[in-house]
Amino acid sequence: MFARLFCWIMASALLIGAPRAWAEDGYDLWLRNVPADAAAAQQIGANARSIVGGTSPTLTIARQELQRGIAGLTGATVPLTATVQQGAILLQSAAQQDKPLVPTDGLGPDGYAIRTMTVVGKPVTVIAGATDVGVLHGAYAWLRLARTGAALDRIDMRSAPRIGLRLLNHWDNLDGTVERGYAGQSIWDWWRLPDYKGPRYTDYARANASLGINGTVLNNVNAKSDSLTAAYIAKAAALADLFRPYGIKVYLSVKWTAPMELDGLKSADPLDPAVAAWWKAKADEIYKAIPDFGGFLVKANSEGQPGPQDYKRTHADGANMLAAAVKPHGGIVMWRAFVYAHDNPDDRAKQAYSDFKPLDGQFADNVIVQVKNGAIDFQPREPFHPLFGAMPKTPLMMEFQITKEYLGQSTHLTYLGTLFEETLKSDTLAKGKGSTVAKVIDGSLEGHKLTGIAGVANIGVDRDWSGSIFNQADWYAFGRMAWDTDLTAEAVAREWAAQTFSPDPRVVAPIVAMMMGSREAAVDYMTPLGLAHIMGTGHHYGPAPWVSELARPEWNPVYYHKADKQGIGFDRTRTGSNATGQYAPALAKLLDNPKTTPERELLWFHHLPWDYRLQSGETLWDGLIHHYDRGVETVAAMQRDWAKLKPQVDAERFAQVETFLAIQHREAQWWRDACIAYFQSVSGRPLPAGSAAPAHPLDWYKALSFPYAPGHPK
Ligand code: BDP
């Protein structure tokens, strides 16, 4: 024992400050098992001398994760023992115990309890769950405590998610491309599935299970019918088999016209019995291969996708027909509310509500409507979607975008935890104060049992999975906040930084500070004061507020900012498009008045003169420019803060972040300059004192083109 400890201290000493034998390429995500400092290693070792219990596939994973984690952190090999000894970790699934040592009622199928206690006279740690998967989540939670340097000798915690479905949505195409993916090709190697199941799939499942993510939609919402052929069902089944012991179910996006494309049906009318019979048979076929298949995700009658409205039926008609097909198997249908139509002249921000609100109460009980966080499309900032709180009889699930289509794509450091928190904590006022979006989606506001939250994944085959080290934090934050919507973005950032870099407060504090200010910086240099959707056409990379000639009005940035000589902003008040009228009356009243509208959403709801006075006393024009300046300055400050971390961060990851921050700074400047050049060409106003003129004339920015920008479907 002593000798082992000595070797360990020697090994750790050599590792600290010395180059590591393996590359810090980000592959290990937040599950890095690297030597803890001596004191931390000592307490981990003292509280994990052996592991008792569990032989099921899931409990075996729990044990192996603990063994692997402890070995990495302390150098010790932890044995699996049959009897309880001092400092043991006991894995206890109520499903396999007559008399659980720790009560598991109220934990649900996924929750866990961890408690240090005395068993047969010996101090031990019990990790308990009502199910094996609950225990697995508990094992990951214990490892999180260990990796972040928390005390392990006095634990008494219980944690259960309030939201039932915590899902990733992959916008992955069958040809390996990823729509809005900036981390390389799809991780699903469809071509070589179902035979070849590379190690990445298991590591993917580990990463998700460590956060409590319990489902994954494998394919793009812009779905191809082929994913429902026998060959592709077999491929999906191979993935489902791998993910099952991790508590992760698979789901598929479906194309509405699949019965026509695959089997020559004449129609896809949801009320046509032949169509319903086709889907029923298809569901039966899927469940034969994947008995715990989760269900379907559907994008219908949106952006050119077919749907029930093509047959003059409603979204509810369509959803309910599919729901009936999966119902006997316990499946569900997630029906997306992201709809807007080319022939609807109404404000695009109003269209989802207009389509779906009248259907409240008409959906089958295994349908959940999936609503994006805002009414337009994953902008750097959007007010919460007015459907939240407006459909009391219908379960609504949240759709966040983890991939940063509009927030700097792969290179910008824009931590999304703050965006998630802002949305979840928004108060809909639907049933008085405190009717937060979080309470809508966790079902507590209206007493719904079916509850969910989805994040559009930022995962690809890049070694670091997410296109950058810091993008991993967005996947992490999504999973952690899906599990517990009360977690703050800051607490999550702290956990992530401690596990990803080092629990040393001198590392954690500055990294968290960078992360916490980063999304506001992007809002400032891209779309301050409630502006939205002024990015480049198609690829959505970079600024293009001048675009005005695309076929559909609502595709054009000018539609959104409405800047002219007099002022800027979209009038969505009672006297404008009346999108404010879609919010609860008490909130609508506030939003109808620019003085009681949060300034961060000002131009989303109001068209205001350039001389309008902001809270700071400056004019709207000057304030707008100052926001742009501030955004660029914040990125420069992030660069300086990161540079100071050089001694504490491994060279490889330090260099990536340093380079990406330089790109971000350059692009922030570009956003600022191009937007100011354009808005100035419209307003004709001078820049406030101290603000530099754009580096180039407007035409220079307009002439830029990006033919091979990633993530853009051709
Ligand atoms: C937009 C994306 C587009 C998606 C669409 C959707 O630009 O690629 O297909 O949303 O969510 O954000 O369906």
Side-chain angles (χ1 to χ4, degrees), residues 203-469:
D203 289 332
Y204 166 87
R206 294 177 61 224
N208 283 322
S210 77
L211 306 174
I213 288 172
N214 65 354
T216 179
V217 183
L218 298 174
N219 60 322
N220 192 354
V221 287
N222 295 318
K224 293 265 189 255
S225 300
D226 308 70
S227 64
L228 294 176
T229 58
Y232 277 92
I233 291 171
K235 293 167 194 280
L239 293 174
D241 290 343
L242 283 174
F243 300 161
R244 189 166 297 115
Y246 291 87
I248 297 169
K249 288 184 179 181
V250 304
Y251 298 74
L252 290 173
S253 295
V254 296
K255 183 165 187 187
W256 187 254
T257 44
M260 299 165 77
E261 293 182 12
L262 295 181
D263 283 312
L265 268 66
K266 292 278 166 307
S267 129
D269 180 349
L271 301 192
D272 178 342
V275 173
W278 187 92
W279 282 105
K280 193 176 169 334
K282 188 50 75 181
D284 294 347
E285 182 188 348
I286 295 172
Y287 277 93
K288 220 161 161 204
I290 312 173
D292 57 352
F293 178 67
F296 296 135
L297 172 64
V298 192
K299 171 175 178 177
N301 294 117
S302 170
E303 299 187 327
Q305 292 296 328
Q309 291 180 335
D310 302 343
Y311 306 91
K312 307 219 175 332
R313 312 296 184 195
T314 67
H315 287 289
D317 293 330
N320 294 348
M321 184 274 287
L322 286 183
V326 292
K327 174 116 185 168
H329 306 283
I332 57 141
V333 169
M334 296 166 287
W335 193 272
R336 294 178 89 226
F338 177 70
V339 296
Y340 61 100
H342 64 281
D343 50 1
N344 186 346
D346 203 1
D347 176 2
R348 173 174 163 190
K350 291 175 65 186
Q351 294 186 26
Y353 178 103
S354 305
D355 266 21
F356 278 83
K357 165 87 181 157
L359 302 176
D360 191 24
Q362 293 183 28
F363 290 95
D365 63 3
N366 58 333
V367 174
I368 185 163
V369 173
Q370 181 165 317
V371 182
K372 287 189 180 179
N373 61 289
I376 297 291
D377 192 17
F378 300 135
Q379 298 303 293
R381 167 163 286 126
E382 289 190 47
F384 73 87
H385 201 300
L387 276 173
F388 293 115
M391 292 184 70
K393 299 189 199 118
T394 310
L396 301 183
M397 69 188 277
M398 172 66 70
E399 180 176 318
F400 280 128
Q401 195 177 44
I402 308 173
T403 190
K404 293 189 311 201
E405 176 179 357
Y406 298 98
L407 282 123
Q409 304 191 348
S410 76
T411 48
H412 294 205
L413 196 172
T414 44
Y415 171 52
L416 300 182
T418 49
L419 186 159
F420 302 155
E421 180 177 350
E422 183 176 304
T423 309
L424 292 168
K425 294 206 170 137
S426 292
D427 198 342
T428 69
L429 300 183
K431 290 179 94 179
K433 257 191 174 323
S435 308
T436 58
V437 171
K439 286 189 184 160
V440 174
I441 62 166
D442 73 14
S444 61
L445 196 67
E446 305 292 351
H448 291 301
K449 294 255 169 326
L450 182 57
T451 54
I453 180 166
V456 179
N458 64 353
I459 297 165
V461 291
D462 278 8
R463 270 303 285 176
D464 64 19
W465 298 84
S466 301
S468 87
I469 299 297

